[in-house]
Amino acid sequence: MSIELQDVTKRFAQDLAVDRLSGRVEDGEFFVVLGPSGCGKSTLLRLIAGLEQLDNGTISLSGRTVAGPGQHLAPEARGVGVVFQSYALWPHMSVLRNIAFPLEARGSRRASAEDGARKHLDTVDLAPYEHRKPAELSGGQRQRVALARCLASDARTVLMDEPLANLDPHLRGTMEQELRRFHGQAGATTLYITHDQREAMAMADRIAVMNKGRFEQIAPPDDLYARPANAFVAGFIGAGAIIDARVTDSGLLRFGPWSIPLAIHDRVARPGPVRLLLRPEWLSVDAARGEMAQVETVTYRGGSWECLMAADGLTAPLILNVSTRIRPGETLPVAVNRSWILPATNTD
């Protein structure tokens, strides 16, 4: 089931939570909406689910308009399953009964509903826990119960609102794999809400970076990282430095002590000022090609040291990763092997 959003708008009093937002989620896609707290991403999910009424625009599921001017299809009629951050499990019901509930709600007899629920329990590897109550499960297990219940609802669209936010960091990696496996087995279109860029990059087919109620950019994870559309996306996704630079009439890119042929970089730009993104892995220590920069701070990142590098004329420190320990105050010859000129500047 595809999801089509056209000029979707939602206000709460004078606050514009979703601002004329448009986009499309393809059938069977794992689509992640990534953004900071308060950007409107959870409101967007609730609008798609039918839990909020939009003020303007339209929402369509597989070409069928479910929300628009004078139209609001009830949540239970949309064929959408929702997995909330809180899991929203019935505390008085066993695991099996929680999963069987949507089957019974659709008219199945109790025995038949429980047989169907057991199949979904097998999918999430929780068959031995069918008689336990949610309070007797770990956070990861409760999350899997919520996923199994979503499967049992036979939803063709699954909406997930920060489902891993309550889990310990060491469990999140495991659950990311579980969610991808769940997505592959269910074959459903998945829209996943998160503020955690690492989660988004690990799981998404495409990511929509959201800010102040709008999508700043929609792209696969590697495109977002290497070719961000603007400074907000560049700063929100991954580490890196955004610095002021200048393109010369002779085709050189100049910033600080560096003067580099523009031809080795990803974009063609007219002469004049530009804003430049430099990721840590695009820099290297190279005595033959590098320019000298001074180490300001050093942070150990597990297997490597992250250095903030300063040089005359730089408008922000560069981030350089090295494999041997460096002390603040040392100088290193830093070579720039790649960069990205932000499209919002004076570019073609």
Side-chain angles (χ1 to χ4, degrees), residues 156-228:
R156 297 300 305 150
T157 299
V158 177
L159 310 178
M160 300 187 184
D161 191 4
E162 306 235 28
L164 306 187
N166 291 331
L167 302 184
D168 294 335
H170 73 277
L171 186 57
R172 290 186 182 182
T174 300
M175 285 307 301
E176 287 169 6
Q177 298 173 22
E178 290 282 351
L179 289 174
R180 285 298 305 183
R181 184 166 70 91
F182 165 82
H183 174 74
Q185 290 177 336
T189 303
T190 301
L191 187 143
Y192 185 101
I193 300 294
T194 184
H195 66 274
D196 189 323
Q197 62 161 295
R198 189 189 61 79
E199 280 181 21
M201 301 292 274
M203 294 190 292
D205 295 322
R206 287 190 302 155
I207 299 172
V209 178
M210 193 169 181
N211 181 39
K212 296 180 180 178
R214 308 197 77 177
F215 288 159
E216 298 278 355
Q217 185 176 1
I218 303 174
D222 52 340
D223 281 353
L224 280 179
Y225 184 82
R227 292 173 286 276

Side-chain angles (χ1 to χ4, degrees), residues 19 27 57-58 110 130 135 192 210 248 259 274 318 333 339:
D19 181 14
D27 182 30
T58 60
R110 180 164 184 160
E130 68 172 61
Y192 185 101
M210 193 169 181
T248 70
S259 185
V274 295
L318 305 183
S339 71

Side-chain angles (χ1 to χ4, degrees), residues 100-325:
F101 183 82
L103 295 170
E104 289 188 63
R106 293 206 311 272
S108 295
R109 294 182 179 273
R110 180 164 184 160
S112 176
E114 289 185 352
D115 286 343
R118 288 188 177 95
K119 295 177 184 178
H120 298 302
L121 268 178
D122 288 336
T123 299
V124 296
D125 296 327
L126 283 178
Y129 301 91
E130 68 172 61
H131 298 300
R132 294 194 185 184
K133 299 290 179 59
E136 300 174 288
L137 303 178
S138 69
Q141 289 167 336
R142 289 196 295 271
Q143 187 59 269
R144 281 187 276 165
V145 174
L147 292 173
R149 184 182 57 189
C150 197
L151 276 175
S153 71
D154 201 27
R156 297 300 305 150
T157 299
V158 177
L159 310 178
M160 300 187 184
D161 191 4
E162 306 235 28
L164 306 187
N166 291 331
L167 302 184
D168 294 335
H170 73 277
L171 186 57
R172 290 186 182 182
T174 300
M175 285 307 301
E176 287 169 6
Q177 298 173 22
E178 290 282 351
L179 289 174
R180 285 298 305 183
R181 184 166 70 91
F182 165 82
H183 174 74
Q185 290 177 336
T189 303
T190 301
L191 187 143
Y192 185 101
I193 300 294
T194 184
H195 66 274
D196 189 323
Q197 62 161 295
R198 189 189 61 79
E199 280 181 21
M201 301 292 274
M203 294 190 292
D205 295 322
R206 287 190 302 155
I207 299 172
V209 178
M210 193 169 181
N211 181 39
K212 296 180 180 178
R214 308 197 77 177
F215 288 159
E216 298 278 355
Q217 185 176 1
I218 303 174
D222 52 340
D223 281 353
L224 280 179
Y225 184 82
R227 292 173 286 276
N230 55 42
F232 178 84
V233 177
F236 196 75
I237 299 289
I242 300 175
I243 61 173
D244 295 335
R246 175 169 290 277
V247 176
T248 70
D249 292 335
S250 58
L252 294 176
L253 186 60
R254 287 184 174 167
F255 51 97
W258 288 271
S259 185
I260 302 167
L262 187 62
I264 73 169
H265 299 277
D266 285 344
R267 292 178 63 82
V268 175
R270 293 188 292 268
V274 295
R275 300 196 76 195
L276 194 66
L277 171 65
L278 295 169
R279 299 288 191 196
E281 64 273 19
W282 299 349
L283 310 178
S284 62
V285 178
D286 189 321
R289 298 186 301 112
E291 297 290 347
M292 299 306 293
Q294 186 175 56
V295 179
E296 288 190 326
T297 64
V298 179
T299 305
Y300 184 60
R301 296 297 186 190
S304 66
W305 283 263
E306 179 184 278
C307 305
L308 292 186
M309 310 295 297
D312 289 342
L314 282 184
T315 55
L318 305 183
I319 303 175
L320 173 70
N321 292 331
V322 296
S323 58
T324 57
R325 187 165 188 174

